[in-house]
Amino acid sequence: MLLINEQWIKQELGTLYGERVVAEIKRINTLYNIYDGPGQEWTTPGGLEYKPNKTVTNYIKKLIKAEARFFCSCAPEIKFKARDQKDAEACEQLDDFLGGVLDASHWQGKLIKAARDCFIGKRVALKLSGEPGKPLRVDFRPAQEFVFDTADDDTDTLKKIIFFYQIAGEKIDENDKEKQRIWCQKYELKDGRCYLSQGLFDGNGEPVGGDNITDKDTGLDFIPCTVILNDGLTGDVSGESDVEALLTNQDTYNHANSDDADALKFSMFPMRYTIDASQESSDKLQIAPGSYADIVSDSSGINNQQAKMGILESQFSYDQRLENRLNRTKNDMHDLLSVPNVSLEQLKGLAQSGKGMRAIYWELRCRCEEKWAEGWDDALRWMAGSLVKMARQLNVAQLPEVDYSIVIDHLYPIPEDEEDERVNDMAEVTARVRSRKSYIDKWQPDGDADGELQQIAAEQAMLEDGYTGRITRELEGAGTSSAQEGLTEGGGPQARASP
């Protein structure tokens, strides 16, 4: 459980903003509890003759995972593009450096988990770590583990960011602050320099241990962190949660599904009644599979009335109505996140067509592009450029100085019509509006384009030389034969030698 030291946060961020941040962190903890499932349960009324059913079908978790999976299960390609073609080779060195840092940081797994955290908790922090002479690292932190403050005139510029979490250990009373242990790390920008303070503190904010650092110059002129918001409006510093958008429909679905289970139970075990049965035989009745009921008429009755036994069953048929309601609620949840509600059976006919698949997932793709444009693209560009700056300022790697732009290519797990695309690309090469090298780079990314082009040129030269040599030999042979025939028909030396 995350510990919130309200007094400490208010001291760092100011009373008014600090109170808002504390309330926001508590709400985010509730959102995570809802996402995990326990937060979706509800209180049933007491004093009932039966135990109401409570079935939680966690569609919130399923849909957010599906959204994050489509968003970045295929990590986007981040490339440095030289503004001057002569710097293309230098940008390839920057690409290699960036790829090495991301691979060492386990980028793919961290990215998809960060997307889930962002969709649940409204925001996530992208953090770069490094020291002089040591490898750089990329991390993400969820919204409950950091607070931040921005510049007064620019909400996109960080002035301060603080990471904190409670050290795991034995269960400690929340009121016993002296035994609590909280790790804290603060980056703050002062006079154009980034300073770091970090260490272990108790619940009162007092330092514990002797390894704490205070106002250490990191050697950077910027804070190596950025905050990514989920949706939100202009000037928003909190973001929006996809869990909150789904919660009402999730509650409706869970209650309707649970009521259906209770109704089924009541229908399986309906109320039984007897008429004119003796008290003794009524007391001996058993409700069990295959049980036998021996009903005796009440001898005290008049006119020799006959004992009867029956059950009370509801004649109301609700199956179709319930199914429609559940499906409508489920479709509403899918629509809120633009996640298509399709089954594997429905996709069978489209499995061979990339165009059909793209049409089904078009709305989700547009939603993902919106999220990239609202903050993720800017964060990844900042990350790539900042890693290069940190490598130079901290002497981590010797990188070339070039003028570049950063290009991000979003990749989605949808099959492409590669054969049609190959034909179109080949037509462009034939029409000389695309180079052969560009074609090879695209369709053989692991190959050697220059080597392939040299081999093609060598083979073409061999074919041309062979063709030219054959024509030359044929022409020479034809010329010799014609000369011999001319000498014979025109009276050659042998004819003129006759007397």
Side-chain angles (χ1 to χ4, degrees), residues 219-288:
L220 304 175
D221 57 2
F222 65 97
I223 295 178
C225 308
T226 189
V227 178
I228 306 171
L229 302 181
N230 184 50
D231 297 336
L233 300 175
T234 302
D236 191 1
V237 294
S238 297
E240 299 177 0
S241 172
D242 292 346
V243 173
E244 290 182 327
L246 298 173
L247 181 56
T248 301
N249 282 298
Q250 178 69 75
D251 284 343
T252 300
Y253 190 94
N254 289 339
H255 280 77
N257 203 22
S258 300
D259 291 342
D260 175 55
D262 285 336
L264 178 62
K265 181 169 59 178
F266 293 147
S267 297
M268 292 176 61
F269 303 100
M271 182 181 295
R272 287 167 170 78
Y273 67 89
T274 58
I275 299 177
D276 295 332
S278 65
Q279 184 65 40
E280 183 180 1
S281 61
S282 297
D283 294 340
K284 292 181 179 179
L285 282 177
Q286 293 184 355
I287 308 301

Side-chain angles (χ1 to χ4, degrees), residues 382-399:
W382 171 88
M383 176 193 71
S386 297
L387 285 173
V388 172
K389 290 176 63 177
M390 290 178 68
R392 291 168 178 160
Q393 295 181 11
L394 301 179
N395 295 321
V396 173
Q398 298 298 322
L399 300 177

Side-chain angles (χ1 to χ4, degrees), residues 430-481:
T430 304
R432 297 183 180 180
V433 295
R434 184 181 192 135
S435 68
R436 288 178 170 85
K437 186 177 186 302
S438 173
Y439 180 89
I440 296 173
D441 286 337
K442 177 177 180 179
W443 294 106
Q444 301 178 25
D446 297 330
D448 181 9
D450 294 333
E452 289 286 344
L453 292 174
Q454 292 176 3
Q455 181 65 24
I456 292 172
E459 292 177 358
Q460 187 173 358
M462 291 175 60
L463 291 174
E464 291 177 352
D465 290 345
Y467 178 76
T468 304
R470 181 171 62 82
I471 294 298
T472 302
R473 287 192 299 272
E474 289 179 356
L475 290 175
E476 289 177 351
T480 303
S481 175

